[in-house]
Amino acid sequence: MKDEGVEREKIQSRLSRIRHKIIVLSGKGGVGKSTVAVNLATAAAVAGYAVGLLDIDIHGPSVPTMLGLETPSLTGREGEIHPVRLGSLKVMSLGFLLQNPDDAVIWRGPLKMGVIRQFLSDVDWGDLDYLIIDAPPGTGDEPLSLCQLIQPLDGAVIVTTPQRVAAVDVRKCVSFCRRLSVPVLGVIENMSGFVCPKCGEITRIFPGEGGREIAADKKVPYLGSIPMDPTVAEAGDKGKVFVYHYGATATGKIMQGILAALFGDEKDKKD
Ligand code: ADP
C-alpha cells in the first residue's frame, strides 16, 4: 500500500495546477447531480476555459454514458493516467476503470477511499482553469474524504429536486459544507416542473419549492431551477451533452444561464 503522506503530496502537486475546483453535491442519488456536472463542465469548456471533469460517483458513475464515452482507450503509465479528451474537455471517470459497472457498489469502505485517493493522485490533468467534480451522493464518508483531499475547493454546487423531502437533504448538504469550511456556491433545483414536449408549457408536478426555500433559510445563493424536460433525459442516454446539442431550446437557455453564473469572470480566461 502506498504511503499516505506521499500520496497526499502528489495530490496537492497535481491540484496546485488547477485554478478553480468546484464540487457538485446532492443529498441523494437521482436528482440530476451528474447532469449538472456534465453540463457545467461542457458549458465552461465551450466558453473557452481549460476544463476537467472528474466523475467520482462511486455508486454509479454515469458520466461515461452521458458523454458517449463508454469504451474509451485509457493511456498512461505506472502512477499516471491521462484523462480522456472530448474536444477540449478532459474527462476522467471511475466508470472508465470498472470492467463491470456494478463492481464499485460492492467495495468496502476502506477500498473505496483508497480508490478515491489513488484516483486523485494519479490523474494527470496538467494545467486547468476549472476542475468540476461529480461527487458520490449524500454526506457520508466518501464525499467527506473528497472534500478533505481536494483543498482548497472554490465551493460546492448543491443539486436538489423541489419536494420537501429532498429539501431535508439540502439542509444536510449545507451543514456538511459548513462543517468542512467549503463555501456553498449555490443550490440548483432540478426537475422543477415538466416541459410539455408538444407545446413547451411548463407544468409543476412536484409540490414545494424545496431548493428556493432552503437556500433562503440557510442564506446560501439560489442559482435557479431547471425544468424536467424529456430531452434532457434522452440526451443523457444518448451521450449528447444537453447544453451543447440543445442549448437553443427553452430548457437549454435556462440551464446555460444558471451554469454560466458558476464559471468566472472573463479576466480568468486564457487567450
Ligand atoms: P444523479 O447524478 O443525481 O444520480 P443524474 O444526473 O444521473 O442524477 O440524473 C438521473 C436521471 O434523470 C438521468 O436519466 C438524467 O438524464 C435524468 N435527468 C436529470 N435532470 C433532468 C431534467 N431536468 N429533466 C429530465 N430528466 C433529467
Side-chain angles (χ1 to χ4, degrees):
M1 193 169 158
K2 264 194 202 165
D3 181 288
E4 266 192 40
V6 174
E7 205 169 41
R8 242 171 224 278
E9 266 176 39
K10 201 170 158 197
I11 294 174
Q12 278 318 312
S13 117
R14 294 225 187 263
L15 296 180
S16 67
R17 297 175 63 185
I18 301 171
R19 292 204 287 166
H20 302 289
K21 297 169 270 291
I22 297 177
I23 192 160
V24 186
L25 296 174
S26 68
K28 58 175 163 223
V31 299
K33 173 179 54 58
S34 300
T35 302
V36 166
V38 163
N39 282 282
L40 173 58
T42 306
V46 168
Y49 294 101
V51 186
L53 172 62
L54 174 63
D55 170 21
I56 208 143
D57 183 346
I58 216 151
H59 297 282
S62 42
V63 164
T65 307
M66 290 182 174
L67 292 176
L69 290 173
E70 271 137 327
T71 46
S73 25
L74 292 178
T75 55
R77 54 194 160 90
E78 177 66 31
E80 186 163 279
I81 177 164
H82 303 309
V84 174
R85 288 270 192 165
L86 186 66
S88 66
L89 181 66
K90 293 179 177 176
V91 187
M92 185 45 68
S93 167
L94 207 57
F96 295 161
L97 306 180
L98 298 175
Q99 299 209 315
N100 176 346
D102 296 333
D103 283 353
V105 182
I106 54 166
W107 289 346
R108 285 171 175 279
L111 184 55
K112 287 184 195 171
M113 305 300 176
V115 170
I116 289 177
R117 273 204 310 273
Q118 186 169 0
F119 217 41
L120 290 177
S121 74
D122 287 357
V123 181
D124 169 29
W125 296 104
D127 296 316
L128 290 181
D129 296 317
Y130 285 94
L131 180 66
I132 310 299
I133 303 131
D134 184 5
T139 48
D141 287 348
E142 295 137 28
L144 181 96
S145 341
L146 257 185
C147 291
Q148 285 171 336
L149 284 166
I150 306 178
Q151 285 294 338
L153 267 171
D154 285 51
V157 175
I158 301 174
V159 183
T160 186
T161 49
Q163 307 94 310
R164 284 245 153 80
V165 282
V168 172
D169 295 313
V170 180
R171 283 179 187 279
K172 279 195 207 151
C173 276
V174 174
S175 307
F176 171 87
C177 290
R178 296 221 162 115
R179 221 173 55 231
L180 295 171
S181 305
V182 173
V184 176
L185 299 176
V187 173
I188 296 178
E189 191 178 271
N190 187 29
M191 308 195 197
S192 175
F194 176 72
V195 180
C196 171
K198 293 224 166 70
C199 68
E201 191 188 338
I202 300 179
T203 313
R204 291 198 74 82
I205 35 173
F206 292 134
E209 277 195 290
R212 188 190 293 273
E213 284 169 16
I214 297 295
D217 187 39
K218 287 281 189 182
K219 301 192 171 43
V220 293
Y222 180 66
L223 297 168
S225 54
I226 301 170
M228 180 181 274
D229 183 333
T231 320
V232 174
E234 203 184 301
D237 282 354
K238 285 190 176 157
K240 290 180 161 186
V241 182
F242 189 76
V243 286
Y244 187 76
H245 291 276
Y246 301 93
T249 63
T251 309
K253 285 181 188 154
I254 293 172
M255 208 190 270
Q256 272 174 337
I258 293 172
L259 301 179
L262 287 164
F263 48 85
D265 308 323
E266 281 301 297
K267 64 180 162 48
D268 260 2
K269 196 157 42 176
K270 281 199 220 107
D271 294 324

